[in-house]
Amino acid sequence: DQQVKQNSPSLSVQEGRISILNCDYTNSMFDYFLWYKKYPAEGPTFLISISSIKDKNEDGRFTVFLNKSAKHLSLHIVPSQPGDSAVYFCAASGRSVGNTGNQFYFGTGTSLTVIP
Amino acid sequence: ETGVTQSPTHLIKTRGQQVTLRCSSQSGHNTVSWYQQALGQGPQFIFQYYREEENGRGNFPPRFSGLQFPNYSSELNVNALELDDSALYLCASSAAWGSGANVLTFGAGSRLTVL
């Protein structure tokens, strides 16, 4: 049962343009969402997060939007740079979800390619 | 600040064997989680350790077990290996929940191949 879904396996964007990565979730108990970036042969690295009490969080070129009614979040990267080429994972958690602990549910990832 | 380190980076086992993977958590972190990432999939939660005890477990059978040591390092043990256990195993550390804990710091992973 995939509770976090990233329906686009890949995305190509020209350098300087906006990259929009999407993520959908099914569990309304999720209250914290994160985006991770992963380069080959490296572990995922934290990019940006958002709590369910907000609908937008911005950090430099990266902005995450959360639409709770649609159970949808998106990551915007503006402007996109070739170094942003990586796999991006959406993840969700909730204090009352799952079997205690700090369990995160991950999507299957979107591979972003920024073309110079 | 030392990040999360995992060993070994790659290993090959045969079906039925046992494997132990190791993880050193980031300095200042007292919670360790293990995730399995199969090819083309996102990481899946195996379990979490806090204060040397398992305090959360995903949908994995008992042949997946772990330990956390007083220095917060951790081991993942898998018995009776199956072909489907072939995956990247990721260790992540974090501070305890409620203290800015909601960010996992991942290691580079241990790539296990079961033949």
Side-chain angles (χ1 to χ4, degrees):
Chain A
D1 179 26
Q2 191 73 22
Q3 298 193 50
V4 177
K5 299 177 183 178
Q6 294 176 257
N7 293 319
S8 298
S10 62
L11 174 68
S12 290
V13 171
Q14 290 286 340
E15 181 178 2
R17 307 294 290 269
I18 184 170
S19 294
I20 300 177
L21 295 93
N22 294 303
C23 177
D24 297 293
Y25 61 96
T26 57
N27 195 326
S28 58
M29 298 300 290
F30 288 147
D31 58 12
Y32 189 68
F33 305 88
L34 304 88
W35 285 93
Y36 279 85
K37 180 168 74 171
K38 187 179 187 300
Y39 294 117
E42 295 183 12
T45 55
F46 170 71
L47 195 57
I48 191 169
S49 65
I50 188 167
S51 163
S52 61
I53 62 173
K54 295 185 174 182
D55 55 18
K56 176 183 174 181
N57 189 27
E58 192 171 353
D59 183 1
R61 297 186 297 114
F62 302 92
T63 303
V64 56
F65 295 91
L66 174 62
N67 182 333
K68 289 185 291 293
S69 60
K71 295 191 180 68
H72 177 83
L73 66 156
S74 61
L75 173 68
H76 293 208
I77 306 174
V78 183
S80 300
Q81 300 173 354
D84 295 330
S85 297
V87 177
Y88 289 78
F89 290 99
C90 167
S93 72
R95 194 72 196 271
S96 55
V97 174
N99 184 19
T100 68
N102 204 18
Q103 179 174 355
F104 284 86
Y105 295 80
F106 283 80
T108 53
T110 296
S111 178
L112 173 66
T113 301
V114 180
I115 303 165
Chain B
E1 184 179 80
T2 307
V4 176
T5 58
Q6 293 187 242
S7 64
T9 53
H10 295 83
L11 69 167
I12 300 173
K13 293 284 187 178
T14 56
R15 199 169 44 181
Q17 285 189 312
Q18 178 265 343
V19 67
T20 297
L21 308 178
R22 295 179 174 83
C23 171
S24 294
S25 60
Q26 179 169 302
S27 175
H29 286 178
N30 55 16
T31 301
V32 174
S33 304
W34 286 90
Y35 285 78
Q36 180 196 65
Q37 187 180 8
L39 198 61
Q41 301 297 315
Q44 276 201 295
F45 178 73
I46 302 175
F47 44 54
Q48 175 181 285
Y49 278 81
Y50 172 64
R51 291 185 174 177
E52 302 176 50
E53 290 191 1
E54 183 182 299
N55 76 337
R57 189 176 186 94
N59 189 25
F60 281 82
R63 59 189 185 83
F64 285 78
S65 63
L67 286 171
Q68 186 184 31
F69 301 100
N71 66 353
Y72 307 126
S73 66
S74 177
E75 286 181 357
L76 164 66
N77 299 290
V78 187
N79 293 322
L81 284 167
E82 301 177 359
L83 298 179
D84 284 348
D85 295 334
S86 295
L88 179 67
Y89 288 85
L90 294 163
C91 172
S93 70
S94 61
W97 189 280
S99 57
N102 294 356
V103 173
L104 300 175
T105 301
F106 284 92
S110 295
R111 172 75 62 186
L112 171 65
T113 302
V114 182
L115 301 177

mmCIF file with all atom_site columns, all heavy atoms in Angstrom, chain B residues 54-66:
data_model
loop_
_atom_site.group_PDB
_atom_site.id
_atom_site.type_symbol
_atom_site.label_atom_id
_atom_site.label_alt_id
_atom_site.label_comp_id
_atom_site.label_asym_id
_atom_site.label_entity_id
_atom_site.label_seq_id
_atom_site.pdbx_PDB_ins_code
_atom_site.Cartn_x
_atom_site.Cartn_y
_atom_site.Cartn_z
_atom_site.occupancy
_atom_site.B_iso_or_equiv
_atom_site.pdbx_formal_charge
_atom_site.auth_seq_id
_atom_site.auth_comp_id
_atom_site.auth_asym_id
_atom_site.auth_atom_id
_atom_site.pdbx_PDB_model_num
ATOM 1   N N   . GLU B 1 54 ? 14.135 -1.163  20.261 1.00 0.00 ? 54 GLU B N   1
ATOM 2   C CA  . GLU B 1 54 ? 13.335 -0.954  19.060 1.00 0.00 ? 54 GLU B CA  1
ATOM 3   C C   . GLU B 1 54 ? 12.040 -0.249  19.473 1.00 0.00 ? 54 GLU B C   1
ATOM 4   O O   . GLU B 1 54 ? 11.300 -0.730  20.326 1.00 0.00 ? 54 GLU B O   1
ATOM 5   C CB  . GLU B 1 54 ? 13.019 -2.301  18.414 1.00 0.00 ? 54 GLU B CB  1
ATOM 6   C CG  . GLU B 1 54 ? 12.251 -2.179  17.103 1.00 0.00 ? 54 GLU B CG  1
ATOM 7   C CD  . GLU B 1 54 ? 11.912 -3.542  16.512 1.00 0.00 ? 54 GLU B CD  1
ATOM 8   O OE1 . GLU B 1 54 ? 12.830 -4.315  16.198 1.00 0.00 ? 54 GLU B OE1 1
ATOM 9   O OE2 . GLU B 1 54 ? 10.714 -3.819  16.357 1.00 0.00 ? 54 GLU B OE2 1
ATOM 10  N N   . ASN B 1 55 ? 11.751 0.893   18.829 1.00 0.00 ? 55 ASN B N   1
ATOM 11  C CA  . ASN B 1 55 ? 10.506 1.598   19.196 1.00 0.00 ? 55 ASN B CA  1
ATOM 12  C C   . ASN B 1 55 ? 9.671  1.947   17.971 1.00 0.00 ? 55 ASN B C   1
ATOM 13  O O   . ASN B 1 55 ? 8.905  2.894   17.974 1.00 0.00 ? 55 ASN B O   1
ATOM 14  C CB  . ASN B 1 55 ? 10.812 2.847   20.025 1.00 0.00 ? 55 ASN B CB  1
ATOM 15  C CG  . ASN B 1 55 ? 11.333 4.004   19.191 1.00 0.00 ? 55 ASN B CG  1
ATOM 16  O OD1 . ASN B 1 55 ? 11.853 3.803   18.116 1.00 0.00 ? 55 ASN B OD1 1
ATOM 17  N ND2 . ASN B 1 55 ? 11.194 5.225   19.688 1.00 0.00 ? 55 ASN B ND2 1
ATOM 18  N N   . GLY B 1 56 ? 9.829  1.158   16.938 1.00 0.00 ? 56 GLY B N   1
ATOM 19  C CA  . GLY B 1 56 ? 8.991  1.316   15.755 1.00 0.00 ? 56 GLY B CA  1
ATOM 20  C C   . GLY B 1 56 ? 9.439  0.303   14.725 1.00 0.00 ? 56 GLY B C   1
ATOM 21  O O   . GLY B 1 56 ? 10.643 0.056   14.577 1.00 0.00 ? 56 GLY B O   1
ATOM 22  N N   . ARG B 1 57 ? 8.519  -0.309  14.045 1.00 0.00 ? 57 ARG B N   1
ATOM 23  C CA  . ARG B 1 57 ? 8.863  -1.345  13.070 1.00 0.00 ? 57 ARG B CA  1
ATOM 24  C C   . ARG B 1 57 ? 7.915  -1.277  11.895 1.00 0.00 ? 57 ARG B C   1
ATOM 25  O O   . ARG B 1 57 ? 6.709  -1.103  12.059 1.00 0.00 ? 57 ARG B O   1
ATOM 26  C CB  . ARG B 1 57 ? 8.787  -2.724  13.710 1.00 0.00 ? 57 ARG B CB  1
ATOM 27  C CG  . ARG B 1 57 ? 9.347  -3.828  12.829 1.00 0.00 ? 57 ARG B CG  1
ATOM 28  C CD  . ARG B 1 57 ? 9.339  -5.169  13.539 1.00 0.00 ? 57 ARG B CD  1
ATOM 29  N NE  . ARG B 1 57 ? 10.001 -6.186  12.721 1.00 0.00 ? 57 ARG B NE  1
ATOM 30  C CZ  . ARG B 1 57 ? 11.289 -6.519  12.823 1.00 0.00 ? 57 ARG B CZ  1
ATOM 31  N NH1 . ARG B 1 57 ? 12.038 -5.940  13.721 1.00 0.00 ? 57 ARG B NH1 1
ATOM 32  N NH2 . ARG B 1 57 ? 11.809 -7.439  12.039 1.00 0.00 ? 57 ARG B NH2 1
ATOM 33  N N   . GLY B 1 58 ? 8.471  -1.399  10.706 1.00 0.00 ? 58 GLY B N   1
ATOM 34  C CA  . GLY B 1 58 ? 7.667  -1.461  9.491  1.00 0.00 ? 58 GLY B CA  1
ATOM 35  C C   . GLY B 1 58 ? 7.246  -2.890  9.203  1.00 0.00 ? 58 GLY B C   1
ATOM 36  O O   . GLY B 1 58 ? 7.367  -3.792  10.027 1.00 0.00 ? 58 GLY B O   1
ATOM 37  N N   . ASN B 1 59 ? 6.769  -3.113  7.994  1.00 0.00 ? 59 ASN B N   1
ATOM 38  C CA  . ASN B 1 59 ? 6.226  -4.404  7.609  1.00 0.00 ? 59 ASN B CA  1
ATOM 39  C C   . ASN B 1 59 ? 7.325  -5.356  7.131  1.00 0.00 ? 59 ASN B C   1
ATOM 40  O O   . ASN B 1 59 ? 7.383  -5.741  5.964  1.00 0.00 ? 59 ASN B O   1
ATOM 41  C CB  . ASN B 1 59 ? 5.170  -4.201  6.514  1.00 0.00 ? 59 ASN B CB  1
ATOM 42  C CG  . ASN B 1 59 ? 4.401  -5.466  6.222  1.00 0.00 ? 59 ASN B CG  1
ATOM 43  O OD1 . ASN B 1 59 ? 4.292  -6.338  7.072  1.00 0.00 ? 59 ASN B OD1 1
ATOM 44  N ND2 . ASN B 1 59 ? 3.887  -5.573  5.013  1.00 0.00 ? 59 ASN B ND2 1
ATOM 45  N N   . PHE B 1 60 ? 8.209  -5.710  8.047  1.00 0.00 ? 60 PHE B N   1
ATOM 46  C CA  . PHE B 1 60 ? 9.301  -6.629  7.734  1.00 0.00 ? 60 PHE B CA  1
ATOM 47  C C   . PHE B 1 60 ? 9.249  -7.806  8.706  1.00 0.00 ? 60 PHE B C   1
ATOM 48  O O   . PHE B 1 60 ? 8.905  -7.639  9.873  1.00 0.00 ? 60 PHE B O   1
ATOM 49  C CB  . PHE B 1 60 ? 10.655 -5.904  7.843  1.00 0.00 ? 60 PHE B CB  1
ATOM 50  C CG  . PHE B 1 60 ? 10.969 -5.057  6.640  1.00 0.00 ? 60 PHE B CG  1
ATOM 51  C CD1 . PHE B 1 60 ? 10.434 -3.789  6.510  1.00 0.00 ? 60 PHE B CD1 1
ATOM 52  C CD2 . PHE B 1 60 ? 11.778 -5.552  5.627  1.00 0.00 ? 60 PHE B CD2 1
ATOM 53  C CE1 . PHE B 1 60 ? 10.695 -3.017  5.396  1.00 0.00 ? 60 PHE B CE1 1
ATOM 54  C CE2 . PHE B 1 60 ? 12.054 -4.779  4.513  1.00 0.00 ? 60 PHE B CE2 1
ATOM 55  C CZ  . PHE B 1 60 ? 11.510 -3.514  4.394  1.00 0.00 ? 60 PHE B CZ  1
ATOM 56  N N   . PRO B 1 61 ? 9.612  -9.011  8.229  1.00 0.00 ? 61 PRO B N   1
ATOM 57  C CA  . PRO B 1 61 ? 9.517  -10.200 9.084  1.00 0.00 ? 61 PRO B CA  1
ATOM 58  C C   . PRO B 1 61 ? 10.575 -10.187 10.187 1.00 0.00 ? 61 PRO B C   1
ATOM 59  O O   . PRO B 1 61 ? 11.559 -9.432  10.125 1.00 0.00 ? 61 PRO B O   1
ATOM 60  C CB  . PRO B 1 61 ? 9.757  -11.352 8.088  1.00 0.00 ? 61 PRO B CB  1
ATOM 61  C CG  . PRO B 1 61 ? 10.552 -10.739 6.989  1.00 0.00 ? 61 PRO B CG  1
ATOM 62  C CD  . PRO B 1 61 ? 10.067 -9.327  6.861  1.00 0.00 ? 61 PRO B CD  1
ATOM 63  N N   . PRO B 1 62 ? 10.407 -11.061 11.177 1.00 0.00 ? 62 PRO B N   1
ATOM 64  C CA  . PRO B 1 62 ? 11.324 -11.108 12.325 1.00 0.00 ? 62 PRO B CA  1
ATOM 65  C C   . PRO B 1 62 ? 12.758 -11.464 11.959 1.00 0.00 ? 62 PRO B C   1
ATOM 66  O O   . PRO B 1 62 ? 13.667 -11.229 12.761 1.00 0.00 ? 62 PRO B O   1
ATOM 67  C CB  . PRO B 1 62 ? 10.705 -12.192 13.215 1.00 0.00 ? 62 PRO B CB  1
ATOM 68  C CG  . PRO B 1 62 ? 9.279  -12.239 12.825 1.00 0.00 ? 62 PRO B CG  1
ATOM 69  C CD  . PRO B 1 62 ? 9.235  -11.931 11.363 1.00 0.00 ? 62 PRO B CD  1
ATOM 70  N N   . ARG B 1 63 ? 12.982 -12.027 10.769 1.00 0.00 ? 63 ARG B N   1
ATOM 71  C CA  . ARG B 1 63 ? 14.368 -12.354 10.424 1.00 0.00 ? 63 ARG B CA  1
ATOM 72  C C   . ARG B 1 63 ? 15.189 -11.081 10.171 1.00 0.00 ? 63 ARG B C   1
ATOM 73  O O   . ARG B 1 63 ? 16.403 -11.151 10.048 1.00 0.00 ? 63 ARG B O   1
ATOM 74  C CB  . ARG B 1 63 ? 14.415 -13.306 9.216  1.00 0.00 ? 63 ARG B CB  1
ATOM 75  C CG  . ARG B 1 63 ? 13.779 -12.794 7.971  1.00 0.00 ? 63 ARG B CG  1
ATOM 76  C CD  . ARG B 1 63 ? 13.688 -13.888 6.903  1.00 0.00 ? 63 ARG B CD  1
ATOM 77  N NE  . ARG B 1 63 ? 13.175 -13.335 5.672  1.00 0.00 ? 63 ARG B NE  1
ATOM 78  C CZ  . ARG B 1 63 ? 13.942 -12.703 4.791  1.00 0.00 ? 63 ARG B CZ  1
ATOM 79  N NH1 . ARG B 1 63 ? 15.240 -12.596 5.003  1.00 0.00 ? 63 ARG B NH1 1
ATOM 80  N NH2 . ARG B 1 63 ? 13.403 -12.190 3.695  1.00 0.00 ? 63 ARG B NH2 1
ATOM 81  N N   . PHE B 1 64 ? 14.516 -9.953  10.131 1.00 0.00 ? 64 PHE B N   1
ATOM 82  C CA  . PHE B 1 64 ? 15.203 -8.653  10.140 1.00 0.00 ? 64 PHE B CA  1
ATOM 83  C C   . PHE B 1 64 ? 15.258 -8.199  11.601 1.00 0.00 ? 64 PHE B C   1
ATOM 84  O O   . PHE B 1 64 ? 14.205 -7.982  12.227 1.00 0.00 ? 64 PHE B O   1
ATOM 85  C CB  . PHE B 1 64 ? 14.451 -7.613  9.314  1.00 0.00 ? 64 PHE B CB  1
ATOM 86  C CG  . PHE B 1 64 ? 14.576 -7.784  7.834  1.00 0.00 ? 64 PHE B CG  1
ATOM 87  C CD1 . PHE B 1 64 ? 13.837 -8.745  7.171  1.00 0.00 ? 64 PHE B CD1 1
ATOM 88  C CD2 . PHE B 1 64 ? 15.432 -6.978  7.090  1.00 0.00 ? 64 PHE B CD2 1
ATOM 89  C CE1 . PHE B 1 64 ? 13.952 -8.918  5.787  1.00 0.00 ? 64 PHE B CE1 1
ATOM 90  C CE2 . PHE B 1 64 ? 15.545 -7.126  5.718  1.00 0.00 ? 64 PHE B CE2 1
ATOM 91  C CZ  . PHE B 1 64 ? 14.803 -8.105  5.063  1.00 0.00 ? 64 PHE B CZ  1
ATOM 92  N N   . SER B 1 65 ? 16.458 -8.073  12.127 1.00 0.00 ? 65 SER B N   1
ATOM 93  C CA  . SER B 1 65 ? 16.590 -7.653  13.518 1.00 0.00 ? 65 SER B CA  1
ATOM 94  C C   . SER B 1 65 ? 17.703 -6.627  13.629 1.00 0.00 ? 65 SER B C   1
ATOM 95  O O   . SER B 1 65 ? 18.506 -6.456  12.701 1.00 0.00 ? 65 SER B O   1
ATOM 96  C CB  . SER B 1 65 ? 16.883 -8.847  14.423 1.00 0.00 ? 65 SER B CB  1
ATOM 97  O OG  . SER B 1 65 ? 18.120 -9.440  14.067 1.00 0.00 ? 65 SER B OG  1
ATOM 98  N N   . GLY B 1 66 ? 17.760 -5.961  14.764 1.00 0.00 ? 66 GLY B N   1
ATOM 99  C CA  . GLY B 1 66 ? 18.765 -4.923  14.912 1.00 0.00 ? 66 GLY B CA  1
ATOM 100 C C   . GLY B 1 66 ? 19.236 -4.771  16.332 1.00 0.00 ? 66 GLY B C   1
ATOM 101 O O   . GLY B 1 66 ? 18.735 -5.411  17.264 1.00 0.00 ? 66 GLY B O   1
#
